[in-house]
Amino acid sequence: MKHVDVAIIGAGPVGLLLAIELAIAGVDCVVLETRAEPDTVQKALSLGPLGAEALMRRGFSSHLDALEARTRAVMAPFMQRGGWGTNAEGKPRFSGHFGGIPHLTQAIDRARPTRLIDQRFLQEFLLSEVQERGIPLRRPCTVTDVQSNEESVTLSLHDAHGRKEALTCRYAIGCDGGRSLMRRQGQFAFPGTAPSLAFYQVFAEFAGPDQTPPPGWLMQPGGVLAYGPVPGRLFMVDFSGPPPKELREPAQSQVEEALARVCGHPVPLKAFTGGRCWTDHTRLVDTYRKERLILAGDAAHIHPPFGGQGLGLGLVDAANLGWKLAAVVHGRMPETLLDSYEAERRPVAHEVLDNTLAQTALMRPDPQSRALRALMAQRLSDEGESATLSSRIKGFTLRYSLGGSHDAVGRLVADRPLCDGRQLYDLMVTGRGVFLQGQGVASGRKKRFPSSIVQGESEGKTSCLIRPDGCIAWAGEGNDVSGLDDAMARWFGSNLPGAALTPCA
């Protein structure tokens, strides 16, 4: 029987990033994936700011630039036509949408942008990173049973040839998507709303130019139609009811039938190259952890794909969990640290589920919903209203409940320049926490921190303690260090070298 510290079930972006986080922290882990090859189905076309920043903190900024350039090159035919976020001059027109209603671009969107990155390209990059780091990835490898006790977890595995094997680990993490075996085997409750509609995302060519819809979101008599921004991509929301359970890969005839229902008239297709169909289950687990079994990403929460929030939500789950799990595995912190993972991330998922339910309501074709949509579109034409809602959707209003009176505590920090010419995220590549000392303030604090924290000097006068996931755990002005010792002990342990931290003259 083989043994590892952590087994990650699922080699999607969330599982891969979690494996990278654990490897950076020196944790022995393995990724187990049922599919023999990576999933190539078109999914998310963008990555929200907080998800992008989770990757930037580990030194992947230039890789994101390359992935975005690759995605934009594919989208170029549509982006130039102005239907997907650009005006006639090719400049950004809006940043994201709410139920197909565009958000106006705000200043913060330029500083912390949503990145046009195809999820398939991101997964390719993360997979190559896992391979370069030598992190074991076993595929095809199916987990058939999960047994856990107070000391360990035992996974029953089957390979492609039907050979059976047992793997023990200290923790098992389910990153295996909306149909998570880990969630079922661990008997996590998964309450939520029942399916009510059908989503189609397929690749097709229309019979003639006069039947080809313009790019962008189009409200139709029976639902919603969106064409682009990837050439040939057709996205539909069909409100005639949920699809049959077996309808995951629809045939051309089934797509044409759905098109007729949505548009109110026949829409023949000239060519069809396949795609997927799914429904609008909206569910959230009752708990993210049962002792040594933990869930992340879609295994913990599923929702309609509006606003492209799911990918970033899962990546930030991984960033939040990774460093905490590593600290527990290495014995630097007690297991109770893992309780903060659910306490911080579950409310965020709950808010995402709520806003996607609201977006679904705005897309319904009944007269009441269309009237509500018109009212919402009018409100969002106001820059202030648009900015408020956009900030919530993109996570800029996120604030974990960590206590403390300073407004910065609990927020995820954006990258920023430091006094020595580096950027803040340059200090975070190795997965350590950061103590940013206010400029010219409290220089006597130098060399009084454990090796899990690196120090830098901020251009401002606010000092702050930043966790490896980018969350500000403590902040103070000038020489005021009240509460810093408690924050250090809470997030990094109480065995600090040297004397207690005190204000300096």
Side-chain angles (χ1 to χ4, degrees), residues 17 20 24 47 49-70 111-113 115-117 122 125-126 129 133 413-416 422-429:
L17 178 59
I20 292 168
I24 288 174
L47 177 58
L50 300 189
E53 289 171 0
L55 297 165
M56 292 165 63
R57 287 192 294 270
R58 297 302 176 259
F60 299 148
S61 294
S62 62
H63 297 90
L64 293 185
D65 293 342
L67 293 173
E68 185 162 34
R70 181 181 174 188
R112 305 177 76 175
R115 310 294 294 266
L116 285 174
I117 294 176
L122 176 62
F125 161 69
L126 292 174
E129 189 69 21
R133 292 175 181 270
V413 66
D415 201 8
R416 62 179 66 175
R422 292 181 294 175
Q423 294 289 120
L424 168 61
Y425 286 179
D426 293 340
L427 304 185
M428 306 191 77
V429 172

Side-chain angles (χ1 to χ4, degrees), residues 26-50:
V27 173
D28 178 28
C29 66
V30 62
V31 182
L32 309 172
E33 171 56 52
T34 299
R35 294 186 181 91
E37 299 293 337
D39 190 358
T40 58
V41 172
Q42 180 77 65
K43 294 183 179 177
L45 292 171
S46 64
L47 177 58
L50 300 189

Side-chain angles (χ1 to χ4, degrees), residues 333 435 445 448-450 453 465 473-476 480-503:
M333 294 294 291
F435 181 78
R445 295 182 200 157
R448 292 186 177 181
F449 293 94
I453 296 178
L465 178 67
W474 172 90
D480 180 11
V481 295
S482 56
L484 178 56
D485 280 348
D486 290 340
M488 288 287 298
R490 179 180 181 182
W491 300 112
F492 294 95
S494 57
N495 298 322
L496 304 181
L501 299 166
T502 57

